[in-house]
């Protein structure tokens, strides 16, 4: 027991039991102050920050905030007071105020907090021993809490379409963020019309600017190259008055004066990264990142480049704000609301580690509360009730006997190899062979020719796939067929060619994506669209299909769902059936079962391959290679 602990917590019960205590007042090195610390907060509002005067008292003794923060940074529990006594900072005090101390920037009388931290500050004001706030803080606080009462906005005259009620609510929410200079993340499910909500919002800003007689610079819209055509088409259809300047061709003019002619400058992530030195010199009205998972890695060059650009306002659009880890959330918020989640080291220590490794539900709840006002997420189940039903079915199949023998032989080889390395060198030195072994087993589970092009063996899954496609063809259905293995799609193409079954094909090398999408949508004689999962997971509207087949399910359900959402989206008028093909008694089955046990505490936090393999224990790896 620490001596101060003994004096604080053991001496008082002994005294209450009738024992006399002598000599404590003569102690020089460990005289204690048994008062619990109290905190008084006084909040005054600046233009985009809050000044928080903070007073901490142990009884009548006042302690400077700087000293408290110094103690907390050292992760110590005791602080020396002005009269030489020692006070204890109890765990509940640390839990309540550590984020305030971490996020706040020290000032003369306390600290400064960003305007973005109003929800955190609101909670601390409510829980502090004494607090006073100015009228402006109360006004901002009330507006932030009244999310059900965001002011309705009139639609712009230049909008030529119709918004569904939830899209109108999203449009109003974007105006709310604009009014208070907050960055935001529009995170509606795939297919719910994030593009149209942003377009009508930009059209509204343009018309208000004209009415108010002000001039705002253009906005910069950054999109994946595959979505350029989609944005251009949607803009021409719904907001034809918005002038788009294309800044992505190799021959692009890099004179920034040209931007003044446009309402929106549209470019790609690749061009943004290559031209970041040019774009940094221009101050935009809005910076908008579509499919913002492109900046989910905070250390990647793309994310770092995006954070260096300047604008009055920032937005990101994504159907999956978190796929892999909470660090992806930090990266996106470091762009839209810098400072909201602290620096990266602080966030990793205070949020990522407790949530992902310690399964701390309270920390997850706190993180959700901090980011809640700045994320708008609606699922199709909530808002698109007019969509026809979607049925999902896992179809198990047995491997061909020769395929089974190859699988067993390969599994036994890698099992011995991996377990030997695990035993002798540990988990970290085994990861490469684990990934290699799992890849080989997944390939064989699909078709032996993925493992060895010269293999003449058959595949039970491939035979089932062909039977399914022939049935759908005979019954005049249209289907999207996804695989993560381009080689698997090539094998399927050869077989369909031999059977004279028409199809379209798309992978990462396909140039004329939109032409093929249009052809599939309009040509009733083309039943199948073969798509590599990574190339076709976003940006495609394929509502002509009523079946989706995943030949080899991706280990991240969010990516798989995005692919299925290519057809189950606004505009679909037929029930959608999703089939997932799984080879029985293989690593496919085991990994799916294992993922069910590894659900994360944070909403929408879904593991990808990377985080999945990093989180495996030695025992779980052994199970994957078991018989």
């Amino acid at each position: 027991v620490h001596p101060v602990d003994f004096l604080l917590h053991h001496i008082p019960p002994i005294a209450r039991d009738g024992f006399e205590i002598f000599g404590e007042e003569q102690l020089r090195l460990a005289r204690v102050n048994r008062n619990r610390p109290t905190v008084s907060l006084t909040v005054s509002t600046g233009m985009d920050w809050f000044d928080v005067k903070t007073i901490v008292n142990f009884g009548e003794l006042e302690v400077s905030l700087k000293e408290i923060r110094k103690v907390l940074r050292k992760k110590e529990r005791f602080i020396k007071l002005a009269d030489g006594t020692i006070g204890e900072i109890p765990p509940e005090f640390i839990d309540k105020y550590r984020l305030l101390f971490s996020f706040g920037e020290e000032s003369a009388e306390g600290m400064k907090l960003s305007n973005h931290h109003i929800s955190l500050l609101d909670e601390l004001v409510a829980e502090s021993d004494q607090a006073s706030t100015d009228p402006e803080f109360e006004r901002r606080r009330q507006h932030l809490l009244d999310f059900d009462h965001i002011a309705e906005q009139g639609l712009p005259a230049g909008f030529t379409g119709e918004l569904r009620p939830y899209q109108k609510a999203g449009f109003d929410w974007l105006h709310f963020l604009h009014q208070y200079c907050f960055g935001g993340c529009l995170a509606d499910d795939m297919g719910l019309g994030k593009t149209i909500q942003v377009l009508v919002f930009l059209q509204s800003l343009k018309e208000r600017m004209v009415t108010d007689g002000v001039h705002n610079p253009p906005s910069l819209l950054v999109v994946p190259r595959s979505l350029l055509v989609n944005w251009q088409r949607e803009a021409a259809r719904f907001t034809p008055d918005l002038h788009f300047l294309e800044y992505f061709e190799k021959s692009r003019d890099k004179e920034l004066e040209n931007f003044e002619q446009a309402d929106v400058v549209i470019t790609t992530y690749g061009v943004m990264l290559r031209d970041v030195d040019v774009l940094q010199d221009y101050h935009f009205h809005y910076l908008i990142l579509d499919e913002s998972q492109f900046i989910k890695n905070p250390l990647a060059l793309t994310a770092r480049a995006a954070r260096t650009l300047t604008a009055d306002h920032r937005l990101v659009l994504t159907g999956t704000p978190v796929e892999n880890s909470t660090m992806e959330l930090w990266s996106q918020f470091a762009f839209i609301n810098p400072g909201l989640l602290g620096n990266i080291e602080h966030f990793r220590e205070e949020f990522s580690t407790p949530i992902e490794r310690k399964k701390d539900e309270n920390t997850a709840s706190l993180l959700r509360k901090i980011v809640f006002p700045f994320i708008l997420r609606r699922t199709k189940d909530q808002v698109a009730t007019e969509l026809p039903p979607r049925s999902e079915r896992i179809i198990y199949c047995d491997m061909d006997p020769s395929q089974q023998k190859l699988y067993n032989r390969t599994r036994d080889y890698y099992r011995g190899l991996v377990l030997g390395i695990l035993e002798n060198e540990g988990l970290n030195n085994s990861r490469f062979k684990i990934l290699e072994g799992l890849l080989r087993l997944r390939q064989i589970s699909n078709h032996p020719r993925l493992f060895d092009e010269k293999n003449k063996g058959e595949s039970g899954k491939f035979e089932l796939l062909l039977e399914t496609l022939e049935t759908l063809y005979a019954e005049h259905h249209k289907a999207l067929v996804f695989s993560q293995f381009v080689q698997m799609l090539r094998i399927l193409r050869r077989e369909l060619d031999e059977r004279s079954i028409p199809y379209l094909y798309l992978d990462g090398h396909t140039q004329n994506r939109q032409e093929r999408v249009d052809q599939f949508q309009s040509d009733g004689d083309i039943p199948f669209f073969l798509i590599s999962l990574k190339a076709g997971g976003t940006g495609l509207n394929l509502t002509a299909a009523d079946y989706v087949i995943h030949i080899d399910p991706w280990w991240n359900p969010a990516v798989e769902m995005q692919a299925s959402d290519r057809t189950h989206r606004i505009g679909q008028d037929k029930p959608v059936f999703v089939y997932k093909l799984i080879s029985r008694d293989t690593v496919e089955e085991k990994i799916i079962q294992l993922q069910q046990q590894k659900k994360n505490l944070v909403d929408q936090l879904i593991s990808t391959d990377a985080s999945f393999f990093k989180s495996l224990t030695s025992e779980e790896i052994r199970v994957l290679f078991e018989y």
Side-chain angles (χ1 to χ4, degrees), residues 282-313:
Y282 196 88
H283 187 88
F284 295 95
H285 189 40
Y286 263 86
L287 287 177
I288 304 172
L289 306 186
D290 190 17
E291 300 295 348
S292 60
Q293 58 268 30
F294 274 71
I295 63 163
K296 66 183 181 180
N297 179 353
L299 302 180
L301 291 177
T302 301
R304 290 159 64 182
R307 294 199 293 269
T308 65
L309 302 181
T310 60
D312 299 319
H313 310 272

Side-chain angles (χ1 to χ4, degrees), residues 414-423 430 433-434 621 625:
Y414 278 103
R415 182 174 184 274
L417 185 65
V418 167
L419 296 187
I421 298 176
L422 273 174
E423 179 120 2
S430 311
K433 283 300 176 185
I434 293 167
I621 290 167
F625 290 94

